[in-house]
Amino acid sequence: KNMLSSKKNKSTDHYDTLISTKSEFEGNLHFSGGLHIDGCIKGNIIADEQSGAVVRISESGVVEGEIRAPNVIINGRVVGNVFASGHIELAKKAMVTGDVNYTMMEMVMGAQVNGNLIHQGAEAPRKGRKNAEPVLSEVAVGKGSKAD
């Protein structure tokens, strides 16, 4: 009965794929949905940017390779560059050796990044100011032309 009711509310606590502490995976891993890593992955982790996929690396999890996913939660060790097109959360025990490319980031005290933090502007218009381009072009044109 519990299994049926949990399918109704798609929470980020649901993970389709689990790499357990007793597992080591070598090679590139393509996925959608949720990926929870307690074990070790030696290879790249790739999810479609439009998929809304989530990678969660627990305290015991290790990834040696590049991570490309919309949403990334790290509380373990990553050696490689991370590309999070949605949001990234670096938890207390996160240790990232590599560049972190992000749109939105949450970083808790204790998390470590040995590399660059690179903010990626959102290509698609999101919440906030709707027409950024006209405002920028007004500044570039100068004082003489107003768009009123």
Side-chain angles (χ1 to χ4, degrees), residues 103-104 119 121-132:
T103 304
M104 292 184 290
H119 182 259
E123 285 87 30
R126 296 222 170 123
K127 292 176 188 166
R129 293 210 343 229
K130 288 181 181 158
N131 299 324

Side-chain angles (χ1 to χ4, degrees), residues 29-97:
L29 178 58
H30 295 263
F31 80 102
S32 60
L35 169 64
H36 184 93
I37 302 165
D38 289 332
C40 179
I41 293 183
K42 293 181 178 180
N44 300 323
I45 299 172
I46 302 127
D48 187 347
E49 283 193 30
Q50 273 66 44
S51 66
V54 179
V55 178
R56 177 184 219 120
I57 303 163
S58 75
E59 199 175 318
S60 62
V62 177
V63 174
E64 295 177 12
E66 193 173 270
I67 300 173
R68 288 184 178 271
N71 304 302
V72 182
I73 302 164
I74 302 173
N75 198 27
R77 196 160 55 90
V78 176
V79 180
N81 296 333
V82 181
F83 297 85
S85 57
H87 82 271
I88 183 165
E89 182 182 322
L90 299 172
K92 190 176 183 177
K93 305 240 169 141
M95 284 185 61
V96 179
T97 304

Side-chain angles (χ1 to χ4, degrees), residues 16-27:
D16 307 298
T17 308
L18 169 68
I19 307 294
S20 76
T21 51
K22 297 175 179 155
S23 300
E24 183 176 303
F25 180 91
E26 286 192 34

